[in-house]
Amino acid sequence: MDWNWNETSIKLPYTSENLKTLLDTVCKKENEFPQYDFAMWCDNLTTAWLDEDLSDQDEHTYYVAQSIECQWDLFWDEQELRKMDQTKLELPLSWFMEWSKELNK
């Protein structure tokens, strides 16, 4: 199927390990990419895996990636986003730390 992919500066394959690595990077404040790009990468992961037969590990990864992307959308009001440079927006760091804990269970 031909998906409508989000633009993102993150060019890593959509794997559980890459989600863990990216999330760890954000938690340590070592990311050189905007959180917006990370949220879009997470959305792309869930799109790529949508119709896949996932292992328990990958289902858990899917849930965490979906949560990150959904919280991004919920946290930032659409009207406000249209007025701002989305690459400058950030979610609370504590949220990423909770997602990291969840992913590493």
Side-chain angles (χ1 to χ4, degrees):
M1 180 166 287
D2 197 21
W3 298 106
N4 188 15
W5 299 104
N6 297 299
E7 290 292 324
T8 177
S9 62
I10 302 169
K11 304 299 182 199
L12 296 173
Y14 303 110
T15 66
S16 295
E17 193 56 42
N18 283 339
L19 178 61
K20 286 180 184 179
T21 299
L22 291 168
L23 191 50
D24 186 51
T25 301
V26 172
C27 288
K28 292 178 179 176
K29 295 184 176 185
E30 295 174 350
N31 52 305
E32 294 182 7
F33 50 84
Q35 286 185 8
Y36 174 77
D37 282 8
F38 180 50
M40 295 304 99
W41 186 91
C42 289
D43 187 48
N44 287 346
L45 180 145
T46 61
T47 299
W49 290 12
L50 188 60
D51 295 324
E52 298 295 317
D53 185 24
L54 301 175
S55 68
D56 289 343
Q57 166 77 31
D58 286 344
E59 277 188 36
H60 192 68
T61 298
Y62 181 93
Y63 167 78
V64 171
Q66 185 179 47
S67 182
I68 292 168
E69 188 276 326
C70 287
Q71 288 302 319
W72 181 269
D73 288 344
L74 292 171
F75 192 76
W76 297 108
D77 178 68
E78 291 250 354
Q79 292 298 324
E80 290 302 312
L81 283 178
R82 292 184 191 135
K83 299 175 195 170
M84 302 176 80
D85 177 358
Q86 294 181 28
T87 64
K88 305 293 184 210
L89 303 176
E90 293 189 353
L91 294 173
L93 185 60
S94 62
W95 292 12
F96 290 99
M97 294 175 149
E98 285 301 315
W99 285 315
S100 183
K101 286 180 195 174
E102 180 67 27
L103 194 58
N104 288 306
K105 282 186 178 177

